[in-house]
Amino acid sequence: MPGHNVTQGVERAPNRSLFYALGYTEEELHQPLIGVVSAYSEIVPGHQHLDKLARAACDGIRMAGGTPILMPCIGVCDGIAMGHVGMKYSLPSRELIADSVETMLTAHQLDGAVLLPNCDKIVPGMLMGALRMNLPAIVCSGGPMLAGRVNEQPSTLSKLFEAVGAHKAGIIDDDALLACEQGACPGCGSCSGMYTANSMNCLCEALGIALPGNGTIPAVYAARTQLAKQSGIAVMRLVRENITARDFVNEKSIRNALACDMALGCSSNSVLHLLAIANEADVPLDLALFNEISARTPNLCHLAPAGPTHMEDLYFAGGVAAVQHELLSLGLIDGSAPSVTGKTVAGNVANAIVRNTNAIRPIDNPYSPTGGLQILWGNIAQKGCVVKRSAVAPEMLRHEGPARVFDGEEAAIAAIYAGNIHAGDVVVIRYEGPKGGPGMREMLNPTSALAGMGLDTSVALITDGRFSGASRGASIGHVSPEAANGGDIALIEEGDIIAIDIPNASLNARLDAETLAARRAAYIPKQTAHTGWLARYARMVAGADKGAILL
């Protein structure tokens, strides 16, 4: 085991001495050393309780004969970072997290890991690091926040972002906005809709790298603490049997995760993260497979922002296991895939049932016969782009309108708030991709402003940036190639007609090849000066179609 490299033999006396300085005993150094990687901090609501869960995971490890070693991990709160320069650091932080997990586990030669993330980039980042090391590992998230209450109605953070747009439009007053502000987020946990954090926590279950309940048990429930203890116990079995992360995250489980993604109606950001996770697991994955699986997988859930239900409703309805059971009944997932429980997927979900058909539609009565996400291609997205189809109003699945072009989020949001965007328009925000941003900012402020102003059923938005899982409407992101890499989204001019056909997977500017060629010949790329480590990121990052991984 790797831990022997720092604990066994005469040559390791200096190493052991440093463990003794930390208070470890000789007996503890004869047991497997298990890293407990916790993203606890006092700046992220989803992470503010991870200190307690880390202690519970440590208890489970000790109960099963291991020596837990607690270590920290950074994490960005996307909600706090939203709408300003801080969002440039969110997606890039995924790579820092993966690198730091690799660094800590390798430098200290640990035998296994319990990963304790909760929010957007932290979940895939930790998993990417563990896959890179390919040691025994298990993900145990902090769990979702309970839905808030505003005027006796359930509410979430996405409702608050939309309330800002409503306030700007004069639809609600200061008191109504304050009520939303103070009632949307009642306590710890990842925000309560099917946003990116909860999407990835559910997909960790689907990948088999987390215990059942990882995605849906509310953060404040005792069952979440019990899950952390059980995760600590489970990782010790993996260590004893030398079962590693890539034994779970493989081609079979990634296909299962894609099917669950489509059924759950997960965030469009799950595309970026699954591509990156597959890359670390050395599993070939491209955007075409997303549409292939979407075409045969019914969408069973419309959680916020797509519908009125929340993560606690999904939990009480049977959770991810109930969704997997429905998919398994039609052979849409592979029940033979293994999981960290020691059982196969089929074994895990054998007794699962749907307890609430408002939260999980039965397989024979889905919201849609196709999945929650759709990849589009066209002359301005030659390498693809993505839309959360399940959150698009039916009347916007096909749309044509004039382009309203903005080089950056700030200019677009100013135009929206000023009332300069009208029904039928297609807002185009470019130079916000992985390289051009840099960092591929989320466009929750523009999409929420449009929704709050009542324009989400008549205005589309396309960008080489990305969207929060809290965005809804015809929000099409990840346009590749991005503008900063010479993508044709850079050639769109004000007033060009943009044709969107989501059912037929197409996104095109109504421009002939000659016009595009002439514009391309005259095009002068926009130059932006980058500072700090984002300058390195911009030089090294791949396109969104590759998961915005570092090359």
Side-chain angles (χ1 to χ4, degrees), residues 167-380:
H167 185 274
K168 292 283 187 179
I171 297 171
I172 64 172
D173 61 17
D174 290 349
D175 290 340
L177 181 62
L178 183 62
C180 292
E181 181 180 331
Q182 296 180 340
C185 299
C188 67
S190 48
C191 297
S192 58
M194 188 54 81
Y195 310 145
T196 305
N198 292 323
S199 294
M200 296 312 301
N201 286 330
C202 287
L203 294 181
C204 282
E205 276 191 60
L207 288 166
I209 196 73
L211 293 174
N214 180 72
T216 59
I217 298 172
V220 296
Y221 283 15
R224 178 59 59 177
T225 304
Q226 293 161 359
L227 187 77
K229 290 180 183 177
Q230 291 160 355
S231 296
I233 294 169
V235 79
M236 290 305 300
R237 180 184 66 81
L238 302 182
V239 170
R240 287 192 299 270
E241 299 178 13
N242 194 30
I243 301 173
T244 63
R246 293 192 194 181
D247 290 323
F248 303 112
V249 182
N250 51 38
E251 185 173 0
K252 185 184 296 185
S253 71
I254 286 172
R255 284 177 171 268
N256 281 352
L258 286 174
C260 286
D261 191 329
M262 300 305 166
L264 289 164
C266 290
S267 164
S268 58
N269 285 316
S270 65
V271 176
L272 285 173
H273 299 322
L274 287 173
L275 288 167
I277 287 166
N279 176 70
E280 296 291 357
D282 201 23
V283 174
L285 179 62
D286 63 33
L287 292 177
L289 185 60
F290 285 80
N291 274 7
E292 177 187 323
I293 290 177
S294 179
R296 63 173 182 261
T297 307
N299 176 226
L300 306 182
C301 302
H302 266 193
L303 284 86
T309 52
H310 302 85
M311 292 305 296
E312 63 210 72
D313 301 308
L314 179 60
Y315 170 64
F316 286 116
V320 175
V323 172
Q324 290 176 304
H325 187 272
E326 292 295 293
L327 296 175
L328 192 60
S329 71
L330 290 185
L332 296 172
I333 59 173
D334 189 332
S336 70
S339 81
V340 291
T341 64
K343 300 178 182 178
T344 63
V345 168
N348 284 340
V349 306
N351 298 318
I353 59 171
V354 175
R355 298 187 178 91
N356 178 352
T357 55
N358 290 321
I360 305 173
R361 288 275 187 93
I363 199 77
D364 57 359
N365 183 32
Y367 283 103
S368 166
T370 55
L373 296 178
Q374 180 84 323
I375 309 299
L376 314 179
W377 284 272
N379 62 3
I380 53 173

Side-chain angles (χ1 to χ4, degrees), residues 118-210:
N118 209 27
C119 293
D120 293 24
K121 313 312 165 302
I122 300 87
V123 182
M126 282 195 188
L127 181 52
M128 288 161 63
L131 286 167
R132 195 178 296 169
M133 301 311 303
N134 196 28
L135 45 58
I138 187 168
V139 175
C140 179
S141 79
M145 185 185 293
L146 295 174
R149 302 288 293 183
V150 177
N151 297 324
E152 299 307 312
Q153 296 297 315
S155 187
T156 64
L157 187 65
S158 60
K159 291 283 185 69
L160 180 53
F161 275 96
E162 292 178 12
V164 173
H167 185 274
K168 292 283 187 179
I171 297 171
I172 64 172
D173 61 17
D174 290 349
D175 290 340
L177 181 62
L178 183 62
C180 292
E181 181 180 331
Q182 296 180 340
C185 299
C188 67
S190 48
C191 297
S192 58
M194 188 54 81
Y195 310 145
T196 305
N198 292 323
S199 294
M200 296 312 301
N201 286 330
C202 287
L203 294 181
C204 282
E205 276 191 60
L207 288 166
I209 196 73

